[in-house]
Amino acid sequence: MKYFRNFLNKPRGLYFSIIAMMTLTVVLMKVSFSYYIPVSKDTTIMTIQEIQNVLTIEGYDNEIEFAPNETKELVFHVKSNNDIDTSYSLFYEGESFLIENKSAIKRDLSPQEETSFIVTITNQTDNTNNIKFKITSGFKGKPIEVNNNIIK
């Protein structure tokens, strides 16, 4: 014991003992964490294959033909077929259309929620014209990029 005290009184002995204690601590921590097994009974893993929001138009398909200078009032329904919160962007393919919203468009949907809104569309040409509506979905709070004409 006297030898140990003399050893600790010397500066190099103090440094050696600090390093030995740190090494021992690290070794014991590694051993204790290597046997750690999470104790969770809920082992379900959430997997999302595809975010799917479905667009339907009351009385029409997603592609509609307009006569020259014709105006139609359409009721859109968007339904979330997801188990998480999602957002969507509605856009159309076609030229020379005037689009006016009659009601606010709710862009974020809760799981299994359905929303409806009314839009008035006018063909501004003197020819028969087609318009095709599409929907792009994404996670809530994340930007959705659409290169076509967005219905705002």
Side-chain angles (χ1 to χ4, degrees):
M1 191 69 171
K2 185 176 180 184
Y3 176 75
F4 185 68
R5 272 194 221 153
N6 287 338
F7 177 75
L8 290 178
N9 287 336
K10 295 179 185 178
R12 70 171 184 238
L14 179 65
Y15 295 128
F16 175 75
S17 62
I18 290 173
I19 290 174
M21 293 293 263
M22 288 175 58
T23 305
L24 181 64
T25 304
V26 169
V27 168
L28 289 175
M29 284 178 60
K30 276 189 149 192
V31 168
S32 67
F33 283 119
S34 66
Y35 293 111
Y36 174 72
I37 299 172
V39 286
S40 173
K41 294 185 182 199
D42 184 19
T43 58
T44 57
I45 298 173
M46 187 171 95
T47 57
I48 299 176
Q49 294 178 350
E50 182 179 338
I51 296 176
Q52 185 180 22
N53 292 328
V54 179
L55 169 68
T56 55
I57 304 169
E58 222 171 80
Y60 297 98
D61 292 333
N62 287 359
E63 187 167 357
I64 302 170
E65 184 175 305
F66 281 80
N69 299 311
E70 181 182 12
T71 300
K72 293 182 182 179
E73 188 171 274
L74 304 176
V75 179
F76 289 85
H77 300 281
V78 178
K79 182 171 182 354
S80 172
N81 288 338
N82 306 295
D83 294 330
I84 59 170
D85 291 342
T86 59
S87 63
Y88 68 92
S89 185
L90 185 63
F91 62 96
Y92 65 94
E93 294 174 349
E95 296 179 13
S96 302
F97 285 99
L98 175 65
I99 299 191
E100 299 175 37
N101 291 345
K102 295 291 182 176
S103 58
I105 298 175
K106 181 180 176 188
R107 299 282 180 195
D108 296 329
L109 296 175
S110 300
Q112 307 302 323
E113 180 184 9
E114 184 173 346
T115 185
S116 300
F117 51 91
I118 300 170
V119 176
T120 302
I121 302 172
T122 304
N123 180 7
Q124 294 181 323
T125 64
D126 293 332
N127 301 323
T128 301
N129 205 352
N130 287 341
I131 187 169
K132 186 173 186 177
F133 296 98
K134 294 185 177 183
I135 188 169
T136 302
S137 304
F139 292 107
K140 184 176 181 179
K142 302 290 183 184
I144 299 174
E145 294 182 22
V146 177
N147 295 330
N148 296 333
N149 305 315
I150 299 173
I151 297 177
K152 297 181 180 178

